[in-house]
Amino acid sequence: MKIVVIGNGMVGYKFCEKILSKSADTPIELVVFGEEPRPAYDRVHLTSWFDGKTADDLLLATADWYVEQGIRLHLGDPVLQIDRTQKTVQSYKGIVENYDYLVIATGSAAFVPPVPGMDKKGVFIYRTIEDLEMMKDYAPNARSGAVIGGGLLGLEAAKALLDLGINNTHVVEFSSRLMPRQIDEQGSTILQNKLAGLGLKVLTGKNTREVLGDDAITGLQFSDDTILETDILVVSAGIKPRDELARAAGLTVGPRGGIVVNEQMQTSDSFIYSIGECALYNNMIYGLVAPGYEMAEVAASHITGEAKAFIGFDMSTKLKLIGVDVASFGDPFSDPENCHSIVFEDKFKGTYKRINITTDGQFLLGGILIGDAAAYNMLLQTTKNKLPLPANPEDLLLGNRSGSADTGAGVTALPDEAMICSCESVSKGTICQAVTDGFETLDEVKKCTKAGTCCGGCTPMVKDLITATMKAQGKYIRNVVCEHFPYSRQEMLDLIKVKSLRSFDEVLDHYGDGEGCEVCKPVVASILASLWNDMILDKGNDTAQDSNDRYLANIQKGGTYSVVPRIPGGEITPEKLVVIGQIGTKYNLYTKITGGQRIDLFGAHLSDLPNIWEELIAAGFESGHAYGKALRTVKSCVGSTWCRFGLHDSVSFAIRIEERYRGLRAPHKIKSAVSGCIRECAEAQSKDFGIIATEKGWNLYVCGNGGSKPQHAQLLASDIDSETCIKYIDRFLMFYIKTADPLTRTATWLNKLDGGMDYLRNVVVNDSLGIAAQLETEMQFLVDNYKCEWREVVENPELRKRFSHFVNAPADKDPTVKFESMRAQKRAAEWK
Amino acid sequence: MSTTHTTTISWFLACKTSDVPTNGGVCVKYKEEQIALFFFARRNEWYATQNLCPHRQQMALSRGMTGTVKDEPKVACPFHKKTFSLKDGRCLSDEHECSLTTYPVKIVDDMVYIGVTAEMEMAGA
């Protein structure tokens, strides 16, 4: 197969690269004609030529590359004629080549408005390295400069004039604002101010009538009879597709120029393709490099028999114009019928940000960023992938103002198909795969996938993906429960749920190896309890429980146990206090008030436990689950029933909460508190979930921690009523139970959660995963299934039998247990 | 003068097999000693060791969680999760820790017997 490519610009070069990579098996004869004297170079970064980059630095590939690839490259030799019947082309130098397929990638030329005087000295266009060289030669004669055209390229050209030392430079724009295709009036005003600060003056709404001067330019005459004096003029008023060759060959062209192509980039002659800025697809010329590359991909695919189609292209763009970030993505101009806009403007700093969101607040449609475009990539991806927005979409612009660093769900939330590098069409999946394959540095990934090698705008995102992927891998390896189960806790939970497994033995039969161990047994036991809330000592699960759960008490120094009855909200009647006192006396127990507003009785022999609990239960107590990775206490202040500051009845709400979640088993213990006012006497902000009364309802805080690494809880929702509060707690706790690693408190879980608090809020409050109803149902099932475990033991002789020290002498207590006395109570003997 | 050691095992009745929870342990009283007895139901194996965890001298091993590491049966002390091999009693999680004494176990008619060694030192005649 022989392919001739007319044009060796960026897109023509890309086509060569693509066709070679796609035709490794079938040899292809590739001939390229280029009008310019040098091989394809990076026209996007043309301005960097003024920063000291040489023409060679800008080359996409050296001449040697073409030789190595077996490409016959004819430079400085434009094709003059196409003979479609003979399927040949003839060049300026007289070379005739026949072709099986012809690819026209002639690009565009600068559009020069038909204004008298454009032929004067000192008038330039801004397109090629040669143009730059000529401008550079002329610049020393000029003290003032002007650019016609306030679009992307025009501003680049203005930058070039500044770089050439012409400080008095004006940009002249016909329409009422700069970059009319990308930004709105307000954005343009900010941009103009910003540019003025850099010495660049902008004239909008100016229609140039004539270029003044005898031989060389001296000024511009506008239709409003004003005059701008200038010694040099750069025309950058748009592009004009180079379709003259195609036109002469009888190919269909558009009414305003451009070679008409179909979705496969075929022209009206199916053996001739056209790609890049000369191609007209769906009445549109795509004047950016990324869609050009996509066209190259589509054409190369079609020629090699691969099905691919060009279906238009997102024209989102981000540039640094003269040091000012300018970005425009999705639909930058809203139609107020279909969307709401959020606009942030800071005239002092010169930043302008606008996002357009759907009227239901669900999705991002597009926007504009000027002065600070750091959020561009994430916003673009949020738009393209229809990611759900945070509860307060303005956080996308302003950042989260409640303290957490992250906004949005981050790169991990993107689907694998998400296009990260639009220039090179590299998806998230491809990048992550490269990382998985062992390319773990940015340079390696760039080399292997080509992502980030063109405009470089996606580089931060590529870095994030590398980090996230590696983290995910590392995590996965560490995350396996133990040698007996090759799964993470979350995977185990899903598997156990799907198969409705109810005992450790069943789980081991289905998914494990060996006998289990002290690591996986409690994990599985906890998952079973979190899923089904069955009696934990049933079904042979007693020996899968951690020792404290197995005996429903906390083992203490010396081998005795402590007893903690539940005292919801810390509220207790004098009568019940008396009962605790009597039981403590009867069984000779050390008593102490705990940090969670209840009473702990220490020093109970194993065989006394059922008797002690029998008496406690008879007096109306129930298990406090102090021994389990489960809800512990819901601490409360006295609240509005007594306190002169109290806004709501914090005790009643604490009791309601504690009774709802009592016995709930989780990856780790859970503590809570309810405060009746902002004074926060219950210290709710140090709890896994804490509730503080406000004038209008409750503020719900989550993921706080005391302990060795104290961490303040963060606000999840404010001013909510009691029912909403419970609904959110249901969802929050179930989501934690389902996703956390073993023995991970909520604070650590949140710290590891990608997207952090915003993600969590999205899941819990905005139901971004669509699982809220399911989480609530699952929690309600657990609540309905609650039974006091100690009551079940007390009432079951078989279970009771397990609470003896000697299997062959049940009445005997462990004779090695020793106590000492201290402050009128006993204490455990110090261990050796 | 020479010294010879003769070791004989005497078996005592510990409990019924049904007294021991599957895949767990119990503590058996033998004279003034405490012996931890473990039943691995999935492979029908029985093990016995001293009940005292040598780490902090706590009578607790019978309440520990059993399991395996690379197929070797083990128990983890409930106090600080030191793990010990049930085959030979050595500490698996800390090579400097003392080993456990282990005892043979046999089952006859659903009754569990533990073998204790009566070490008799006989001076050579």
Side-chain angles (χ1 to χ4, degrees):
Chain A
M1 181 171 19
K2 182 173 175 183
I3 301 172
V4 172
V5 181
I6 305 176
N8 188 223
M10 295 181 82
V11 174
Y13 162 79
K14 183 56 62 178
F15 174 82
C16 296
E17 208 183 85
K18 298 273 185 192
I19 193 83
L20 288 170
S21 75
K22 286 179 192 298
S23 59
D25 307 331
T26 42
I28 284 193
E29 195 182 347
L30 202 50
V31 182
V32 177
F33 288 92
E35 186 181 50
E36 293 185 55
R38 64 190 93 236
Y41 54 88
D42 184 355
R43 213 185 295 278
V44 173
H45 293 107
L46 205 54
T47 331
S48 63
W49 185 76
F50 290 106
D51 298 338
K53 283 226 174 171
T54 66
D56 280 351
D57 290 337
L58 290 172
L59 288 184
L60 296 177
T62 60
D64 291 345
W65 179 84
Y66 295 87
V67 176
E68 281 160 24
Q69 304 296 326
I71 299 171
R72 290 214 301 283
L73 178 64
H74 302 290
L75 290 175
D77 191 10
V79 168
L80 294 185
Q81 201 192 334
I82 302 169
D83 183 337
R84 287 169 52 199
T85 41
Q86 297 297 316
K87 288 174 91 176
T88 59
V89 298
Q90 189 184 341
S91 77
Y92 170 76
K93 290 180 183 166
I95 298 170
V96 177
E97 294 274 4
N98 66 312
Y99 64 80
D100 295 314
Y101 294 104
L102 180 65
V103 177
I104 304 178
T106 41
S108 66
F111 164 71
V112 180
V115 170
M118 282 292 183
D119 52 352
K120 293 191 198 311
K121 274 190 195 161
V123 179
F124 299 92
I125 55 170
Y126 189 80
R127 186 80 196 148
T128 65
I129 287 180
E130 283 68 39
D131 295 332
L132 303 194
E133 285 171 341
M134 289 190 286
M135 276 168 65
K136 196 180 176 184
D137 290 342
Y138 193 82
N141 307 323
R143 277 184 305 281
S144 59
V147 174
I148 292 184
L152 283 179
L153 263 181
L155 292 174
E156 287 281 338
K159 156 101 164 87
L161 289 182
L162 290 179
D163 287 341
L164 289 171
I166 306 169
N167 292 325
N168 182 18
T169 291
H170 282 80
V171 173
V172 179
E173 168 59 40
F174 173 74
S175 87
S176 60
R177 62 179 193 265
L178 290 175
M179 300 177 68
R181 283 178 174 218
Q182 287 89 15
I183 67 177
D184 57 13
E185 296 273 349
Q186 214 174 339
S188 173
T189 308
I190 285 280
L191 182 58
Q192 285 179 45
N193 292 341
K194 198 94 185 168
L195 296 179
L198 299 163
L200 199 61
K201 282 148 279 197
V202 177
L203 300 172
T204 55
K206 290 287 184 189
N207 187 5
T208 309
R209 197 163 64 197
E210 193 183 345
V211 178
L212 304 175
D214 296 331
D215 179 34
I217 178 171
T218 58
L220 294 176
Q221 165 82 57
F222 301 122
S223 56
D224 59 4
D225 290 336
T226 56
I227 285 177
L228 175 70
E229 290 186 1
T230 183
D231 307 320
I232 186 170
L233 174 67
V234 181
V235 180
S236 183
I239 57 170
K240 172 175 86 178
R242 293 282 303 274
D243 59 7
E244 64 276 6
L245 194 57
R247 199 182 285 267
L251 298 175
T252 309
V253 293
R256 280 176 295 161
I259 306 164
V260 174
V261 292
N262 62 14
E263 287 185 355
Q264 275 71 45
M265 310 320 295
Q266 286 168 302
T267 65
S268 51
D269 178 333
S270 61
F271 295 101
I272 303 180
Y273 293 74
S274 178
I275 56 178
E277 291 179 336
C278 59
L280 184 71
Y281 170 77
N282 208 5
N283 284 317
M284 177 136 175
I285 295 284
Y286 288 83
L288 289 177
V289 69
Y293 280 7
E294 175 68 13
M295 291 178 182
E297 164 76 23
V298 170
S301 300
H302 194 245
I303 290 171
T304 51
E306 216 181 301
K308 240 180 203 167
F310 184 83
I311 45 163
F313 204 85
D314 179 56
M315 295 297 275
S316 300
T317 181
K318 177 189 156 191
L319 298 157
K320 218 174 184 62
L321 284 169
I322 323 179
V324 184
D325 276 342
V326 178
S328 160
F329 57 94
D331 174 12
F333 313 112
S334 64
D335 171 2
E337 295 274 305
N338 305 321
C339 76
H340 295 309
S341 295
I342 298 174
V343 172
F344 170 80
E345 186 183 56
D346 180 344
K347 285 191 169 148
F348 179 67
K349 282 189 182 155
T351 49
Y352 172 74
K353 301 176 183 184
R354 163 180 174 168
I355 51 173
N356 307 319
I357 58 178
T358 50
T359 42
D360 58 6
Q362 289 252 30
F363 302 112
L364 188 56
L365 296 169
I368 297 166
L369 302 170
I370 290 167
D372 170 16
Y376 170 75
N377 277 315
M378 209 51 235
L379 291 175
L380 175 62
Q381 295 296 342
T382 305
T383 306
K384 279 188 178 173
N385 296 293
K386 288 201 183 304
L387 297 185
L389 298 182
N392 303 309
E394 70 270 22
D395 288 355
L396 292 172
L397 292 185
L398 304 174
N400 181 300
R401 283 143 293 138
S402 62
S404 86
D406 262 319
T407 48
V411 286
T412 45
L414 297 173
D416 274 354
E417 315 80 66
M419 203 52 76
I420 302 297
C421 175
S422 328
C423 301
E424 295 282 351
S425 304
V426 188
S427 67
K428 174 187 167 183
T430 309
I431 293 168
C432 293
Q433 186 57 48
V435 179
T436 309
D437 292 345
F439 299 94
E440 294 181 344
T441 66
L442 180 62
D443 282 344
E444 285 170 356
V445 171
K446 280 168 86 166
K447 205 166 169 184
C448 154
T449 64
K450 291 197 154 271
T453 55
C454 187
C455 77
C458 62
T459 309
M461 209 163 235
V462 175
K463 274 191 203 158
D464 284 352
L465 282 172
I466 295 172
T467 314
T469 311
M470 287 175 63
K471 204 169 124 196
Q473 288 173 328
K475 232 174 158 184
Y476 187 78
I477 292 158
R478 278 198 305 279
N479 228 6
V480 170
V481 171
C482 69
E483 67 172 69
H484 305 106
F485 291 97
Y487 303 100
S488 69
R489 180 186 173 279
Q490 190 176 347
E491 291 164 337
M492 295 277 293
L493 184 139
D494 292 338
L495 293 169
I496 293 170
K497 184 170 188 203
V498 167
K499 291 262 182 195
S500 287
L501 305 180
R502 295 266 177 156
S503 73
F504 177 78
D505 259 358
E506 286 173 15
V507 176
L508 193 58
D509 287 342
H510 277 85
Y511 299 111
D513 283 317
E515 298 286 314
C517 67
E518 72 282 2
V519 175
C520 58
K521 282 183 171 180
V523 171
V524 172
S526 163
I527 290 172
L528 291 169
S530 290
L531 284 174
W532 317 119
N533 210 2
D534 292 334
M535 168 60 189
I536 63 167
L537 304 182
D538 270 352
K539 304 186 174 73
N541 288 336
D542 53 340
T543 52
Q545 306 294 340
D546 219 334
S547 174
N548 285 348
D549 268 319
R550 181 173 167 195
Y551 296 104
L552 305 179
N554 287 326
I555 194 166
Q556 306 291 348
K557 244 184 214 177
T560 61
Y561 288 87
S562 65
V563 170
V564 189
R566 187 168 295 289
I567 301 175
E571 183 187 81
I572 186 164
T573 61
E575 290 74 19
K576 278 186 160 181
L577 273 176
V578 169
V579 169
I580 288 183
Q582 286 169 337
I583 291 170
T585 309
K586 179 172 175 185
Y587 293 93
N588 185 25
L589 305 174
Y590 166 83
T591 52
K592 188 180 185 306
I593 310 288
T594 71
Q597 299 186 334
R598 46 192 192 178
I599 297 167
D600 207 340
L601 302 110
F602 291 79
H605 282 275
L606 182 60
S607 54
D608 282 340
L609 288 175
N611 302 329
I612 292 171
W613 276 105
E614 190 165 18
E615 294 186 32
L616 285 169
I617 286 163
F621 288 102
E622 61 182 350
S623 169
H625 298 93
Y627 44 82
K629 304 302 179 201
L631 179 87
R632 296 287 172 85
T633 65
V634 182
K635 193 176 166 182
S636 71
C637 69
V638 74
S640 59
T641 50
W642 290 93
C643 178
R644 67 192 194 280
F645 299 118
L647 294 170
H648 306 311
D649 181 0
S650 50
V651 179
S652 294
F653 200 44
I655 292 172
R656 183 174 170 197
I657 299 276
E658 183 156 346
E659 289 184 339
R660 179 168 182 81
Y661 302 113
R662 63 190 167 186
L664 176 71
R665 281 188 161 77
H668 212 308
K669 61 185 171 187
I670 305 168
K671 298 180 176 182
S672 177
V674 182
S675 278
C677 79
I678 194 66
R679 286 168 190 75
E680 242 284 67
C681 296
E683 298 164 328
Q685 289 166 99
S686 66
K687 305 301 184 193
D688 294 279
F689 63 100
I691 300 155
I692 303 175
T694 68
E695 294 279 352
K696 298 178 201 148
W698 305 102
N699 279 354
L700 175 58
Y701 292 81
V702 294
C703 301
N705 203 355
S708 61
K709 277 177 86 181
Q711 185 169 318
H712 275 128
Q714 295 180 39
L715 186 64
L716 182 75
S718 45
D719 295 329
I720 47 177
D721 60 26
S722 301
E723 303 313 314
T724 309
C725 190
I726 284 174
K727 203 163 73 175
Y728 288 172
I729 298 169
D730 278 5
R731 297 175 184 178
F732 162 71
L733 288 176
M734 256 350 270
F735 189 55
Y736 162 65
I737 286 170
K738 295 181 96 162
T739 60
D741 284 339
L743 301 179
T744 305
R745 289 290 294 274
T746 56
T748 316
W749 170 67
L750 178 69
N751 295 345
K752 285 193 202 166
L753 196 65
D754 273 309
M757 192 59 202
D758 296 309
Y759 177 69
L760 180 61
R761 185 180 297 110
N762 246 336
V763 173
V764 172
V765 178
N766 303 333
D767 191 16
S768 59
L769 300 179
I771 56 170
Q774 183 199 342
L775 296 175
E776 287 170 38
T777 309
E778 286 165 344
M779 180 60 83
Q780 193 56 47
F781 172 79
L782 297 179
V783 170
D784 295 342
N785 235 14
Y786 167 81
K787 288 196 187 91
C788 171
E789 325 173 308
W790 263 116
R791 176 182 289 275
E792 293 184 78
V793 170
V794 164
E795 291 171 356
N796 181 332
E798 273 308 302
L799 289 175
R800 240 181 131 132
K801 225 176 77 180
R802 302 284 189 209
F803 291 81
S804 56
H805 185 66
F806 292 116
V807 66
N808 54 348
D812 291 9
K813 289 173 179 162
D814 179 0
T816 66
V817 167
K818 295 274 186 298
F819 298 111
E820 294 162 5
S821 69
M822 181 186 260
R823 288 187 296 276
Q825 294 202 73
K826 69 178 182 184
R827 58 155 292 176
E830 196 49 68
W831 53 27
K832 294 138 203 163
Chain B
M1 187 170 126
S2 69
T3 306
T4 54
H5 293 268
T6 308
T7 308
T8 52
I9 295 178
S10 62
W11 298 93
F12 76 92
L13 173 64
C15 58
K16 293 183 292 203
T17 53
S18 60
D19 289 334
V20 185
T22 53
N23 304 308
V26 291
C27 177
V28 178
K29 187 173 187 175
Y30 175 66
K31 296 178 181 166
E32 297 311 307
E33 289 187 42
Q34 299 190 17
I35 296 173
L37 171 67
F38 303 101
F39 175 38
F40 283 61
R42 299 172 64 89
R43 42 211 260 179
N44 196 27
E45 288 171 6
W46 294 78
Y47 299 96
T49 68
Q50 67 188 57
N51 192 33
L52 187 80
C53 175
H55 172 224
R56 287 294 189 178
Q57 311 286 307
Q58 301 287 310
M59 282 297 183
L61 290 175
S62 62
R63 300 178 204 166
M65 307 185 76
T66 57
T68 51
V69 53
K70 297 191 178 70
D71 223 37
E72 181 164 14
K74 63 169 181 173
V75 64
C77 174
F79 276 92
H80 303 97
K81 295 267 156 69
K82 294 242 179 197
T83 55
F84 298 91
S85 164
L86 296 178
K87 287 262 189 218
D88 57 16
R90 75 185 193 286
C91 184
L92 298 166
S93 53
D94 181 355
E95 57 184 57
H96 302 296
E97 192 51 80
C98 299
S99 290
L100 306 180
T101 304
T102 59
Y103 303 88
V105 181
K106 69 176 180 185
I107 309 298
V108 179
D109 296 336
D110 292 332
M111 300 304 254
V112 186
Y113 296 85
I114 298 174
V116 287
T117 51
E119 239 186 31
M120 290 190 281
E121 194 179 56
M122 300 202 305

